[in-house]
Amino acid sequence: MQRLQTDYLDLYQLHGGTMEDNIDETIDAFETLKKEGLIRYYGISSIRPNVIREYVKRSNIVSVMMQYSLLDRRPEEQTLDLLAKNKISVFARGSVAKGMLSDKTAEKVKQKGSDGLLTYSYEELLAASEKLQLLAKNEQASVTDLAVCYILQHPALASAVMGASSLEQVKQNAALSTDRLPDGLYAQLQQITKPITYENHR
């Protein structure tokens, strides 16, 4: 904390976590840090529904960072609603799926999607890319805008965590729309992609 020139952290986020970890011990450590004034709030970073449920039941987490995008809709099955009900915020990472949901969607699918993604084949990724580009053009928006607005639609979402490799990308990310999508457009985006469920860690 000395390098940050602060005596406390506003939010301490635990990375990872499995059911084999001693969750109670971890929670005790967080609560001790709160009592000592070293942190104000804490959260976890996890995609595992079984781990998230345990922290919701047993701790005072205020946030969960998880992978969530139009191409990875696994959190929609149960996790997002659970967190919204308990007033726990979500930070979505992987919002543009390594660029496959960006304005360079077709190019990035060819670069990064040759082995498929989750339950998507390469051909399915290409087809989704083409449909997203057409929809974005019709809506006079960018593919990135639609992808980010889609995930921010759920009430549990607090932020989309975006990567940037240049100052220009930082500016582009900051300029993205966060407007609520009309129901019809939201449904169209869901039809272009597909719901996926967690096979493990249920």
Side-chain angles (χ1 to χ4, degrees), residues 62-63 88-92 151-152 154-160:
V62 298
S63 59
I88 297 169
S89 296
V90 173
F91 305 139
I151 60 169
L152 292 177
H154 196 283
L157 265 289
S159 179

Side-chain angles (χ1 to χ4, degrees), residues 56-111:
V56 169
K57 282 192 294 189
R58 293 152 65 177
S59 78
N60 294 305
I61 59 169
V62 298
S63 59
V64 177
M65 180 182 283
M66 65 176 64
Q67 188 167 302
Y68 178 42
S69 74
L70 258 173
L71 292 175
D72 184 357
R73 292 169 49 196
R74 291 176 295 177
E76 293 176 2
E77 182 191 2
Q78 52 183 269
T79 309
L80 293 181
D81 288 343
L82 171 68
L83 294 172
K85 179 181 176 183
N86 287 277
K87 297 181 171 53
I88 297 169
S89 296
V90 173
F91 305 139
R93 62 178 176 82
S95 314
V96 292
K98 300 179 182 176
M100 288 186 280
L101 292 169
S102 71
D103 299 330
K104 296 181 179 178
T105 176
E107 176 188 328
K108 293 296 183 181
V109 166
K110 289 172 185 173
Q111 285 177 1

Side-chain angles (χ1 to χ4, degrees), residues 12-14 25-35 39 41-44 55 61:
Y12 192 164
Q13 198 87 2
L14 173 71
E25 188 176 290
T26 302
I27 294 168
D28 285 344
F30 275 135
E31 292 295 338
T32 298
L33 290 172
K34 276 183 69 176
K35 286 174 187 171
I39 64 173
Y41 302 100
Y42 62 93
I44 62 171
Y55 275 93
I61 59 169

Side-chain angles (χ1 to χ4, degrees), residues 130-188:
E130 290 172 4
K131 290 175 183 176
L132 284 169
Q133 287 180 90
L134 181 59
L135 182 59
K137 184 178 178 181
N138 290 342
E139 294 294 325
Q140 298 182 321
S142 70
V143 173
T144 311
D145 269 331
L146 294 180
V148 172
C149 284
Y150 177 84
I151 60 169
L152 292 177
Q153 193 93 344
H154 196 283
L157 265 289
S159 179
V161 180
M162 307 286 286
S165 57
S166 67
L167 179 58
E168 186 58 33
Q169 281 191 334
V170 171
K171 291 177 180 176
Q172 289 170 357
N173 290 346
L176 288 171
S177 171
T178 57
D179 293 341
R180 186 168 180 82
L181 297 173
D183 291 344
L185 180 54
Y186 185 78
Q188 282 181 276

Side-chain angles (χ1 to χ4, degrees), residues 109-140:
V109 166
K110 289 172 185 173
Q111 285 177 1
K112 301 178 183 291
S114 56
D115 294 328
L117 175 74
L118 298 171
T119 63
Y120 286 90
S121 67
Y122 176 61
E123 291 74 22
E124 287 176 318
L125 289 174
L126 279 178
S129 169
E130 290 172 4
K131 290 175 183 176
L132 284 169
Q133 287 180 90
L134 181 59
L135 182 59
K137 184 178 178 181
N138 290 342
E139 294 294 325
Q140 298 182 321

